[in-house]
Amino acid sequence: MEGSWDSHPIDFISNLSLQDRQALYHMGNKRYFQKHEMVFHVGSSSEEVFLLADGRVKVFELSKEGKEVILWFCFPGELFGLSEVFQQSGRDVNAQACSTVEVLAISKIEFKRYIKQHPQLALKVIELLGYRLRELSDVLLNLASDDVACRVIKLLTRLCSRYGKPAGEAILLDIALTHQEMADMIGTSRQSVTTVLSALRKKNVLKMQQRVIYLQDIPWIESIAGELVYPRMPAPRVQVMRNTA
């Protein structure tokens, strides 16, 4: 059985001291996006890195048929728009607000200077990029080798490792996703996801209450997913500094 997903270099801001957070804040410009508004799109300028202060952003690509393929979601404290920092090219992916969103937009010149002054944070950036690459490689492998039911189970496992919270003997998946969003993450249809979740609910593998998923039969899920389901205990939320001037 593979190692767990319980260590993820996701929340960049929590790795910073108060002084470093303030320095990063003063380099950036606050911007706001409404739900469904694009933060950036394929081919647009890549002169900025974004730190998500509030809300949720999805990063995705479009297939040749125009189908949306979600690569990952970003939550407060996370960086995105990183992949083009060290290359001269336009954006390779799209980023869209899933809710009202506040970001700090930091010029990549300033950001590169910042991480040169903080080598330990440069390592965190490398870890983050490496983690996302592993996520994508696992998704590609699952697409090639697993049926839809197995893909759904492995998706739930990955999500629980990032957003899971103990709830008695179950694990609460503390992220609200629609069945369509889940389908777009594993290359299937909304109806297929709904069918699989319904079957798992009937087997008491999970239960659903008001769109919240609770994983119940953890040993069975681990046997199918091939990895441990360890919820990542959330660190205290560190708020991005706000400009009160």
Side-chain angles (χ1 to χ4, degrees), residues 12-166:
F12 183 81
I13 201 71
S14 67
N15 292 295
L16 306 183
S17 67
L18 177 60
Q19 182 178 3
D20 288 341
R21 290 200 302 273
Q22 289 174 326
L24 187 66
Y25 171 79
H26 288 299
M27 285 193 296
N29 297 311
K30 284 197 296 186
R31 293 183 191 162
Y32 298 90
F33 298 88
Q34 298 304 309
K35 186 176 182 179
H36 303 312
E37 191 174 356
M38 300 298 294
V39 181
F40 56 76
H41 55 80
V42 172
S44 63
S45 171
S46 60
E47 294 303 311
E48 294 173 318
V49 173
F50 296 93
L51 173 63
L52 186 56
D54 193 33
R56 178 163 63 114
V57 168
K58 67 178 177 182
V59 178
F60 68 96
E61 293 190 59
L62 293 175
S63 69
K64 293 180 179 179
E65 295 77 24
K67 181 177 174 56
E68 192 172 285
V69 180
I70 297 176
L71 305 178
W72 58 76
F73 288 97
C74 296
F75 291 84
E78 295 188 42
L79 289 167
F80 63 103
L82 279 170
S83 60
E84 301 89 0
V85 167
F86 300 103
Q87 61 188 44
Q88 300 297 323
S89 65
R91 296 289 181 190
D92 296 321
V93 295
N94 306 286
Q96 185 179 37
C98 299
S99 61
T100 300
V101 161
E102 177 186 345
V103 301
L104 283 178
I106 306 164
S107 80
K108 69 179 184 182
I109 293 175
E110 290 294 326
F111 186 74
K112 288 166 71 173
R113 182 180 297 121
Y114 181 81
I115 60 176
K116 285 179 181 178
Q117 295 169 352
H118 303 79
Q120 74 280 9
L121 298 178
L123 291 176
K124 293 297 180 183
V125 171
I126 293 171
E127 289 174 10
L128 174 58
L129 292 172
Y131 167 73
R132 287 177 175 166
L133 181 60
R134 178 186 170 184
E135 273 195 310
L136 295 177
S137 64
D138 280 0
V139 168
L140 289 174
L141 179 60
N142 294 343
L143 283 172
S145 60
D146 296 331
D147 60 23
V148 173
C150 192
R151 276 184 265 162
V152 171
I153 292 167
K154 288 185 176 181
L155 174 63
L156 293 173
T157 303
R158 291 197 299 271
L159 293 174
C160 274
S161 73
R162 288 183 60 174
Y163 311 113
K165 293 182 178 180

Side-chain angles (χ1 to χ4, degrees), residues 1 218-227:
M1 186 173 289
I218 306 303
W220 185 86
I221 293 171
E222 290 176 343
S223 71
I224 300 300
E227 58 187 83

Side-chain angles (χ1 to χ4, degrees), residues 183-230:
D184 291 340
M185 295 180 77
I186 58 174
T188 189
S189 67
R190 180 196 59 78
Q191 183 57 47
S192 294
V193 169
T194 300
T195 299
V196 171
L197 292 177
S198 178
L200 294 175
R201 187 171 63 247
K202 290 177 180 178
K203 291 181 179 180
N204 293 318
V205 173
L206 57 80
K207 66 178 180 180
M208 302 175 66
Q209 295 179 347
Q210 297 179 338
R211 290 180 57 192
V212 176
I213 297 177
Y214 295 80
L215 297 190
Q216 297 180 124
D217 192 342
I218 306 303
W220 185 86
I221 293 171
E222 290 176 343
S223 71
I224 300 300
E227 58 187 83
L228 301 180
V229 181
Y230 281 144

